Amino acid sequence: MTASSALAEAVANATGRSVLGARPTAGGSINDAWTFELEGGERTFVKTRADAARGEYATEAAGLRWLAEPGAIELPAVLAVGDDERGPRFLALEWIEEGVLDGPGAEALGRGLAALHATGAPAFGASPPGAPGGGFAPLRIGPLSLPNDPAAEWPEFYVRSRLRPLVARAAERGALSAPGRQAVERVCERIGDLAGPPEPPARLHGDLWGGNVLAGADGRARLIDPAAYGGHREVDLAMLRLFGAPSPRVFAAYDEAAPLADGHEDRVALWQLFPLLVHAVLFGGHYGQSVEDAARRYAG
């Protein structure tokens, strides 16, 4: 597979640097990912997709800048965004030389997440400043778009803008059984009793599974591929535990810096319903059963 001449030209024009070479690289299950060699010896990571929606990569770029703004944790710098109506759409990011997350790096990740969440957001559902569509633009996760209409309380937002839109789509594509849908609906009805004490809106990464924590050669973490919005901080932490959790030192350092509310361990699977539903909609397979299993824990 070779990068198209149109993509290479678009990256060169947007960065102001000639493209000397390109090769495919690992980059997830939704986008095509490339390493581009630029004039002067610099490399850049480029993600692209033929059917990417207008504004998708601009939204991600806004999220990266918003999460980086407090200086609490490192994220790759945005080098260029291609969002032209006719040309290829892409996001070009600072290249991160990969390594392994070491012990001090794990603790720094926990403290950094606590500090990032504490910087807050204007409301539940708030979008990153500069995101196309304004202050409460829809949340984009690959081809999915979810409403971000603001809500005064997190439980209302979680049900209205996360669970119910996704459970309907999962059922429509046949990825969720009728009993599974009923279990999720029961969770929605009981959310006020399940969600724990009120929390202010946190500045969330929004798609914080382990694959979106990239360790650099220095042993420290960088966050990549955000779907950032204002939400409940326990959601980021629950997702981080979903597909292979990092070192327990991450969570211990977080809790030391910003202790979580009582009962947070009992709510982990409740918040994991959201990413599990996303996966059921996008990939089907066993994820529908995982949704049903998690929902049954809370359906009463």
Side-chain angles (χ1 to χ4, degrees):
M1 181 169 60
T2 58
S4 71
S5 58
L7 177 60
E9 182 179 358
V11 170
N13 289 338
T15 60
R17 311 274 291 280
S18 297
V19 172
L20 304 181
R23 64 179 185 275
T25 191
S29 54
I30 295 176
N31 292 284
D32 297 326
W34 295 89
T35 303
F36 273 43
E37 303 284 346
L38 302 180
E39 182 183 19
E42 184 180 1
R43 283 182 289 177
T44 181
F45 175 85
V46 176
K47 62 194 308 184
T48 186
R49 198 175 72 253
D51 62 349
R54 185 85 185 267
E56 179 177 332
Y57 295 128
T59 298
E60 182 175 339
L64 286 165
R65 295 183 180 112
W66 190 47
L67 297 175
E69 182 267 331
I73 198 163
E74 293 185 63
L75 294 98
V78 177
L79 301 185
V81 180
D83 198 33
D84 188 75
E85 184 66 40
R86 298 180 180 177
R89 293 177 182 146
F90 69 90
L91 178 61
L93 301 174
E94 171 192 9
W95 180 263
I96 306 296
E97 199 65 47
E98 291 190 55
V100 177
L101 189 66
D102 60 23
E107 293 174 3
L109 172 59
R111 292 191 299 269
L113 284 173
L116 173 64
H117 290 161
T119 60
F124 294 115
S127 301
F136 297 93
L139 181 77
R140 295 182 182 275
I141 302 179
L144 287 180
S145 178
L146 295 170
N148 260 346
D149 299 332
E153 302 293 339
W154 171 251
E156 174 193 354
F157 179 86
Y158 189 59
V159 167
R160 186 193 65 203
S161 297
R162 296 294 180 262
L163 296 187
R164 284 199 165 125
L166 285 167
V167 76
R169 294 187 200 184
E172 286 169 5
R173 75 159 294 185
L176 185 63
S177 68
R181 182 170 188 171
Q182 291 167 3
V184 176
E185 287 294 345
R186 179 61 178 149
V187 171
C188 292
E189 294 166 2
R190 300 190 63 229
I191 194 67
D193 298 325
L194 300 171
E199 292 243 358
R203 191 174 303 198
L204 296 191
H205 176 281
D207 193 16
L208 194 61
W209 69 288
N212 285 342
V213 177
L214 180 65
D218 58 1
R220 295 175 65 87
R222 281 81 170 165
L223 303 187
I224 60 173
D225 294 348
Y229 66 100
H232 195 302
R233 63 188 179 130
E234 289 179 13
V235 173
D236 263 359
L237 299 178
M239 187 163 188
L240 194 54
R241 296 169 64 167
L242 184 56
F243 301 121
S247 166
R249 296 171 73 168
V250 174
F251 303 100
Y254 186 105
D255 202 46
E256 182 179 352
L260 295 163
D262 289 346
H264 65 90
E265 286 287 339
D266 297 330
R267 294 186 289 272
V268 170
L270 176 65
W271 309 134
Q272 288 176 343
L273 275 173
F274 167 40
L276 285 172
L277 279 164
V278 168
H279 280 68
V281 172
L282 291 179
F283 307 118
H286 68 279
Y287 291 112
Q289 186 61 53
S290 298
V291 169
E292 182 173 344
D293 293 344
R296 286 186 181 279
R297 295 183 54 179
Y298 304 98

